Amino acid sequence: MVTIQENFSLASYNTFGVTAKASYFAKITDTKSLDELTTSQELFGKTTLVLGGGSNLLFTKDFDGLVLHSAIEGKEVIGENDDHYFVKVGSGENWHNFVMYCLEHNYGGVENLSLIPGSVGAAPIQNIGAYGVELKEVFHSLDAYNLERQSVEVFGKEECKFGYRDSIFKQEYKGKYLITSVTLKLTKKHELNTSYGAISSTLNEMGIDNPTIKSVSDAVIAIRQSKLPNPREVGNAGSFFKNPVIDKIDFEGLRAEFPTVPGYETAFNAMKVPAAWLIEKAGWKGFKKGKVGTYEKQPLVIVNHGTNGIEVWELAQEIRDSVEKMFGITLVPEVTVL
């Protein structure tokens, strides 16, 4: 039987480490627990928040509703062919631990996504990505519990409507489903992606001429640890803003005024501009005011040194307004703000 806790502290359930409470909180270990909750008269009609690792979330106030924390575990190969393994993973599994599991078993495709905080269930919601790889590239399907219909539904890649750090579960299905498991299509014959960022140079520094999925993962971990703060040591949610995508014509105008601005062409006749570059040029790198600031090695990361979510959000808005005034580009949060 599922236990419902009231007036529950969420401080250890968000990587910003801000103090917030949920009116009701329940840890979900299987779909039977969900059946019990969705038929509860006490909870009927309550606003619901599905919470994984809390690594992409900023609480600015208490949550007046029911928080469902996925703790569904399990990993199994449910199929394979000549080229791929199909691995089904419980939504409550830690993402990075799962990546390490894949490396141990020589399942390829997720090595570039090493050390991303959060749970497996949150990965498709956010369409997590790093170093030239997005989750959708290895995604096969997911099972999600419809909180209104009290039934499990299967979503393929098309149904998820993946976008840049986006999916249908951040849009029209937000708060309507709890993802119970994710099935990924992982490689047997690996095609390594070492062209993005500093992976190649890091592999060279490590003296690796013939990289494996394990060495690519090691390189990614080394890069991330060198420029991103550990949430266990200082509160943060990684990149606070998305990298903006602008029209090519607008990008050329921007480059005419700021010749050193970097940009990466996308498939939609547009250019992706690094938000970190914009924020740094606007003067925010290493900024600190009271107990909130930006990380000294990566201005895209807002860090919490012991304050509340309101002050973190106020700084984020100051940064956004400053960048918009200087460059005419509006930054959009990657973090969900509640």
Side-chain angles (χ1 to χ4, degrees):
M1 182 176 178
V2 63
T3 300
I4 303 169
Q5 301 182 69
E6 299 185 30
N7 200 30
F8 186 85
S9 173
L10 299 171
S12 61
Y13 286 84
N14 72 96
T15 58
F16 266 115
V18 299
T19 301
K21 291 183 178 181
S23 299
Y24 301 93
F25 178 93
K27 183 177 289 188
I28 305 302
T29 56
D30 51 37
T31 55
K32 186 177 180 181
S33 302
L34 288 165
D35 289 334
E36 293 179 27
L37 287 172
T38 52
T39 56
S40 168
Q41 291 299 312
E42 179 186 7
L43 301 173
F44 182 77
K46 297 289 184 185
T47 304
T48 303
L49 171 67
V50 177
L51 179 63
S55 60
N56 201 52
L57 196 61
L58 174 64
F59 288 104
T60 60
K61 58 186 177 182
D62 291 340
F63 185 77
D64 184 17
L66 170 64
V67 170
L68 299 177
H69 172 59
S70 175
I72 300 173
E73 299 180 343
K75 300 181 286 287
E76 64 173 322
V77 176
I78 61 171
E80 64 179 288
N81 55 33
D82 290 343
D83 299 317
H84 297 95
Y85 295 103
F86 295 86
V87 183
K88 187 172 185 177
V89 198
S91 60
E93 294 279 354
N94 175 274
W95 173 261
H96 178 66
N97 290 347
F98 170 65
V99 173
M100 296 297 100
Y101 165 86
C102 291
L103 297 177
E104 290 172 8
H105 291 80
N106 199 31
Y107 305 154
V110 292
E111 55 275 2
N112 291 54
L113 304 179
S114 298
L115 212 61
I116 293 179
S119 64
V120 167
I125 296 174
Q126 183 74 0
N127 185 25
I128 59 172
Y131 300 99
V133 174
E134 289 187 323
L135 180 84
K136 68 179 182 181
E137 296 170 40
V138 295
F139 180 85
H140 178 67
S141 65
L142 63 80
D143 293 344
Y145 187 91
N146 187 317
L147 297 169
E148 294 179 359
R149 298 177 183 173
Q150 295 92 47
S151 62
V152 175
E153 300 175 16
V154 180
F155 289 79
K157 185 181 293 187
E158 294 301 317
E159 289 88 351
C160 289
K161 296 184 179 179
F162 290 124
Y164 172 50
R165 303 297 177 270
D166 199 14
S167 73
I168 197 170
F169 299 102
K170 287 187 73 175
Q171 302 301 328
E172 56 259 51
Y173 288 169
K174 184 176 182 179
K176 297 182 179 180
Y177 288 84
L178 185 147
I179 294 172
T180 57
S181 67
V182 179
T183 300
L184 300 182
K185 184 180 179 181
L186 303 175
T187 60
K188 292 182 176 181
K189 306 167 186 176
H190 313 312
E191 295 183 11
L192 304 181
N193 186 334
T194 61
S195 61
Y196 195 92
I199 294 179
S200 291
S201 59
T202 302
L203 288 169
N204 289 334
E205 291 171 6
M206 296 165 67
I208 297 173
D209 297 322
N210 297 301
T212 63
I213 56 173
K214 175 65 166 62
S215 52
V216 170
S217 171
D218 290 341
V220 168
I221 291 171
I223 296 167
R224 291 182 70 91
Q225 288 180 333
S226 70
K227 68 178 185 179
L228 296 174
N230 187 337
R232 295 178 181 177
E233 298 173 359
V234 58
N236 76 93
S239 300
F240 196 94
F241 296 101
K242 299 179 182 180
N243 290 321
V245 177
I246 63 176
D247 187 87
K248 278 188 176 180
I249 295 175
D250 293 334
F251 179 78
E252 291 306 321
L254 183 67
R255 177 161 279 178
E257 188 173 356
F258 303 95
T260 60
V261 59
Y264 306 93
E265 189 171 356
T266 71
F268 303 100
N269 196 34
M271 299 294 288
K272 183 182 292 185
V273 182
W277 188 91
L278 300 171
I279 295 169
E280 181 172 352
K281 288 298 179 183
W284 291 100
K285 187 175 182 180
F287 174 85
K288 187 176 181 182
K289 180 181 179 181
K291 294 184 177 181
V292 67
T294 59
Y295 191 53
E296 64 270 16
K297 297 180 181 179
Q298 172 52 273
L300 189 52
V301 177
I302 296 178
V303 291
N304 175 23
H305 296 287
T307 187
N308 55 55
I310 293 174
E311 291 192 15
V312 174
W313 178 228
E314 287 175 347
L315 174 59
Q317 292 176 94
E318 287 184 49
I319 293 171
R320 180 196 62 195
D321 294 346
S322 173
V323 167
E324 185 170 14
K325 183 177 180 180
M326 187 170 184
F327 299 103
I329 295 175
T330 302
L331 296 179
V332 176
E334 186 173 317
V335 171
T336 298
V337 181
L338 295 175

